[in-house]
Amino acid sequence: MKKTKGSELAEKLTFTQPHIADAAPKAVEKAQAFCEDYKAFLDAAKTEREAVKEIERRLRKAGYQPLDRTAKKPYKPGDKVYYNNRGKSILAATIGKEDLEAGVRLMIAHIDSPRLDLKPNPLYEDTDLALFKTHYYGGIRKYQWGVTPLALHGVVAKKDGETVEVHVGEEAGDPVFCVTDLLPHLGAEQSKRPLSEGLKGEELNILVGSLPYEDEDVKERVKLQTLALLNEKYGITERDFVRAEIEAVPAFKASDVGFDRSMIGAYGHDDRVCAYTALRAEIDTENPKFTSVCVLTDKEEIGSMGTTGLNSDYVFHFLGYLADIQDGNYKLMLQNSKCLSADVSAAFDPTFPDVMEKRNASFLNKGVCLTKYTGARGKSGTNDAPAELMGFVADILDDAGVIWQTGELGKVDAGGGGTVAQYVANRDIDTVDIGVPVLAMHSPFEVVAKLDVYMTYKAFAAFKASKK
Ligand code: MN
Ligand code: MN
């Protein structure tokens, strides 16, 4: 049937965001296969420290060498180096054919996720139960963290110089831990609280024991019994909690979601889904035109402060070392660089449509989300990527056949948020946000679509391989 003039014009001038399964049907099977390894990564990397360990293992396996900061001769195109920053953030690079002054292709994602951290003095006994006090890390909806199985992950830096790892609640047969909540029969008063106080910060206490130490002459016998078990297993005393970082995270593993297995439910997609896809793209980059740098950072969820967060100089020290070794002009390198700040976006949830503006929201299965700005209250606190940069990245994605969408973080004045983009852009590097749409972000069980994860990998690989 002949098209009308109007329908021809509409086809030419308007845009409708396709479902990836329609626009790229072959991607469905590829995404399934790609995401099997992603689930394994999630299970192996539930904290920033574990993520760094797992990433370093994968980098070494792929032939990356530790950066030699005092190297006397420049690295060759195709050489692969990495730098482990204090075991909590990590950088990897593949040297390009062009001089560093032509700029680097920088990708940044974060590997910390919201969770419950133990307080420095966590252990106490109340009414014959032993519990841990916690201080939550990052933006959580506190009521979501009650009555869900928790595992404890972390380290204790002992006085004898040894750092012992704590890792309980993940293996088959391990005990788990939990924050308790009231029964509905007695919940009438609690139910009148606003949702944000359904469980209050000081009610996020983790149940860890209930048996007394056998000697009836001592006080707080359940606490003592807990300490005795910890001392037996880790050689630590109560005072050593001050020298520890122990994080309570959901104890379950990543699973497929849906009859069609099209989605993944897991703890910590934000932002390990971008960290994983960025890492895979970095490892797969062979002989790029521009030097490729991949940064997987800590502390994003609490404002990027500290030596392992993006607001510190560690990334720029790394770039400075590279410039020295390659004998390139550091400032020119920064000015000519392009950065993808890879972080998740809030996917449209049909159960809660009111917080989104449908024309400018991101959706599951519609591709990697390119975000011009984040922020809150009139774009406050955002890196607002310039039109030229949006065009530059859009061209790379289009040329590589990547299905991508755009979206804002909710309706104007509905809330908002930020990413690390500002810390990079403030250093004179063109930066734009991009990432995977997520449902139930910051909850213990976040959901992503496999097709979006796969398209995000394709987007990052295309950015690193780009010739312009
Ligand atoms: Mn994030
Ligand atoms: Mn986040």
Side-chain angles (χ1 to χ4, degrees), residues 368 370 392-404 434 459-460 462:
V368 62
L370 185 61
F392 174 86
V393 176
D395 284 347
I396 289 176
L397 302 186
D398 286 341
D399 291 349
V402 173
I403 314 290
W404 61 276
I434 188 168
F460 296 169

Side-chain angles (χ1 to χ4, degrees), residues 411-422:
K411 271 183 182 165
V412 176
D413 290 342
T419 65
V420 301
Q422 53 185 314

Side-chain angles (χ1 to χ4, degrees), residues 169-175 253:
E170 296 291 345
E171 311 312 324
D174 268 9
K253 300 206 181 314

